[in-house]
Structure formats: C-alpha cells, structure tokens
Amino acid sequence: MEDLTLALITLTSFVLLFVVAIFADRAGMEAADELTASARGSHEPIAVPVEDSSVLAPRADVA
C-alpha cells in the first residue's frame, strides 16, 4: 500500500510540474508578443545584427 501511495504522489507531482511548465511557457510567449507589439507601435528602428564578412575573408598576407 505504501508503494502505491508513493507512486501516486510521484505521478501527481510530475503532472503538476508539466502543467506549470505549460502555463509558464504560455506566459513567456505572451510577454514576448507584448514586447514585440510595443516595439512595432513605437516606430523606433530595431537593431539587427549584421555579420561582418571582412572578418571571414582570407587576408593577402596570410600564407
């Protein structure tokens, strides 16, 4: 009987952890959506990282 109780408690805790993870993920997505929506509404330019190709090109003095 004790093994069954321990198994039920363990299963319940995993289910609750999974449910909390889903709600936390949804809350994070909503926060990110609000952040991007507010950035779009402010008409400010958004910085976009650009890779510098001159760093990747071989140099003439390299043997």
Side-chain angles (χ1 to χ4, degrees), residues 15-47:
V15 169
L16 287 174
L17 182 64
F18 186 71
V19 168
V20 168
I22 289 174
F23 280 113
D25 187 46
R26 286 184 182 176
M29 286 190 298
E30 288 175 3
D33 289 342
E34 289 176 7
L35 182 63
T36 55
S38 67
R40 277 190 233 128
S42 65
H43 301 292
E44 294 180 14
I46 299 174

Side-chain angles (χ1 to χ4, degrees), residues 50-57:
V50 178
E51 185 176 307
D52 188 9
S53 62
S54 65
V55 175
L56 301 176

